[in-house]
Amino acid sequence: MRTWKHALIVGVVAALAVGACSASTPGGSGAAGGSGAAGTKIRLQLKWVAQAQFAGYYAAVDQGYYRDEGLDVQILLGGPDIDPVRVVASDGAEFGTTWVPAMLAAREGGADVVDISQVFQRSGTLEVSFKDKNITKPEDFKGKKVGSWLGGNEPELFAALNKANINPDDKTQVQIIKQDFDMSGLLSNSLDTAQAMTYNEYAQVLEAKNPATGNLYTSNDLNVVSFNDVGTGMLQDAIFARDSFLKKAGNEDVAVKFLKASLKGWAYCRDNSQKCVDIVLKNGSTLGASHQAWQMNEINALIWPSPNGVGTLDKAAWDQTTAIATKYKVLKAQPTEGAFRTDLNQKALDALGTSIDTKGASWKKATVELKAGGN
């Protein structure tokens, strides 16, 4: 995870450069994974580097799902200086993945983008602490050193604090401390609680050794506050596209085909978790095998179950996201009409029919054993 607001600022030049390169050479520099078949050329810009967070798209390439739809899909890697919204908005890619607040902030600034599939149904953001701190709910943040990445990543936390009648701007009530994008602050005891994603930073703690025992930390050593549980979770990874692209003749059909294959890829990763870990590792992930297995399990938990069908946007979750984003100045105002559409994802679900399970009602999390350093 990296701060999206940082990427929104520094990513503009890099995004335009990627767009210029990718438009002429879809398989050129910065590309990773492609269907390798003749068909309509499509570029997908990831939010970050190759990891299980994007396994469904890699699986759709690997299993030939895009090819079956007549698409030649090239996956473009993200990074700290690449903002996927800017890449898509500048015609560097047809589709992208990012968190909903990031897309909406860029849209408010003039980017011609629209959410067309809400793949992640729930937030993966946590606050993690050691048991001896006795932090089990937002009310317990009072008087504590609370870590956050800030830079636009704090609204879920700030909303939770406000619900607990704690003013995040009042240092006599709580100390909000900007943390690094790792768990070093928690592990060194300079923070009482630290921000983490279920699929990444939380695992980093469990991959570290407890100096008191010489063994790896376990979940029994930790308390977790989930922003989903406290009612302040915000929508995260979505598939988005340029509105102008969708309005061109034939491109809505292309979008439906892309979504159909992508959703099928996510269903494949639900049912074949280890195979998808292997696919991601094959595509150049720098994270270790056990970390990727953990991440795949946790990513599945953000997608499944999808009661209304995978990729279907829940309006209540959208409204909660935009209300929090507006209150905490991620957005200046509520999004204008047309920020999302559900018809394309529904057409993709209709096309899939009963050929696959698109809801995953019976899916259960597996038990994944992490190894030191995530290896």
Side-chain angles (χ1 to χ4, degrees):
M1 166 63 196
R2 292 293 184 270
T3 172
W4 63 262
K5 190 167 283 186
H6 170 263
L8 193 63
I9 296 170
V10 304
V12 178
V13 174
L16 291 174
V18 169
C21 172
S22 299
S24 58
T25 56
S29 178
S35 56
T40 302
K41 292 188 180 297
I42 293 295
R43 297 156 296 175
L44 170 64
Q45 177 63 61
L46 301 183
K47 175 179 172 62
W48 196 241
V49 296
Q51 56 184 24
Q53 182 180 358
F54 314 111
Y57 312 112
Y58 284 108
V61 171
D62 186 83
Q63 295 298 300
Y65 299 154
Y66 291 128
R67 183 181 62 244
D68 291 346
E69 297 299 321
L71 304 179
D72 180 5
V73 173
Q74 202 74 34
I75 297 176
L76 307 178
L77 298 180
D81 296 329
I82 296 177
D83 171 24
V85 184
R86 294 292 177 179
V87 173
V88 172
S90 62
D91 196 21
E94 285 68 43
F95 302 102
T97 68
T98 197
W99 287 14
V100 168
M103 189 212 76
L104 291 176
R107 189 176 187 275
E108 190 174 61
D112 175 35
V113 289
V114 55
D115 181 335
I116 62 171
S117 182
Q118 189 55 52
V119 178
F120 284 18
Q121 297 288 299
R122 49 200 67 89
S123 169
T125 315
L126 311 170
E127 282 287 333
V128 180
S129 60
F130 287 111
K131 282 281 179 71
D132 61 0
K133 300 296 183 180
N134 296 314
I135 300 172
T136 61
K137 56 188 181 300
E139 287 80 1
D140 298 330
F141 292 148
K142 191 168 186 177
K144 299 295 195 299
K145 297 177 181 177
V146 178
S148 171
W149 300 310
L150 300 177
N153 293 291
E154 69 276 11
E156 291 172 306
L157 168 63
F158 283 16
L161 287 166
N162 273 284
K163 286 187 72 172
N165 296 313
I166 300 172
N167 182 354
D169 296 322
D170 185 348
K171 292 183 179 180
T172 66
Q173 295 186 42
V174 63
Q175 294 185 57
I176 305 297
I177 297 174
K178 182 176 175 59
Q179 71 177 73
D180 293 330
F181 289 100
D182 56 34
M183 299 303 276
S184 58
L186 183 72
L187 293 168
S188 67
N189 206 35
S190 60
L191 295 174
D192 294 316
T193 177
Q195 188 171 9
M197 301 307 295
T198 57
Y199 53 82
N200 195 5
E201 289 82 10
Y202 180 60
Q204 290 176 17
V205 180
L206 302 177
E207 294 162 359
K209 285 188 178 181
N210 181 344
T213 66
N215 298 319
L216 298 184
Y217 286 109
T218 72
S219 58
N220 293 328
D221 298 316
L222 304 170
N223 283 326
V224 170
V225 175
S226 165
F227 294 120
N228 286 316
D229 294 343
V230 301
T232 64
M234 299 171 75
L235 290 173
Q236 297 180 346
D237 286 31
I239 300 174
F240 65 95
R242 289 189 313 285
D243 189 42
S244 58
F245 167 80
L246 296 172
K247 287 178 177 176
K248 290 182 179 178
N251 283 352
E252 285 195 355
D253 289 340
V254 170
V256 171
K257 291 176 180 179
F258 175 79
L259 292 179
K260 178 186 175 185
S262 298
L263 302 181
K264 192 173 181 180
W266 282 116
Y268 180 85
C269 288
R270 176 196 65 209
D271 300 335
N272 301 275
S273 180
Q274 185 55 52
K275 288 182 179 178
C276 280
V277 169
D278 294 340
I279 290 169
V280 171
L281 291 170
K282 182 177 69 176
N283 276 275
S285 172
T286 58
L287 298 172
S290 74
H291 190 99
Q292 287 290 13
W294 175 280
Q295 186 170 120
M296 185 74 260
N297 194 40
E298 294 297 331
I299 291 296
N300 272 328
L302 299 182
I303 301 172
W304 311 104
S306 290
N308 298 312
V310 59
T312 301
L313 185 144
D314 181 278
K315 186 58 165 56
W318 176 274
D319 290 344
Q320 177 171 294
T321 297
T322 58
I324 293 172
T326 303
K327 181 172 182 179
Y328 295 102
K329 311 302 182 186
V330 175
L331 301 175
K332 296 176 183 176
Q334 283 287 317
T336 55
E337 187 176 355
F340 72 89
R341 55 188 295 184
T342 60
D343 58 319
L344 301 176
N345 194 85
Q346 187 57 53
K347 287 180 180 179
L349 290 174
D350 292 344
L352 286 167
T354 59
S355 64
I356 64 167
D357 174 10
T358 60
K359 296 183 178 181
S362 62
W363 180 83
K364 303 293 183 185
K365 284 179 69 172
T367 299
V368 176
E369 182 183 355
L370 284 164
K371 298 181 180 178
N375 296 317

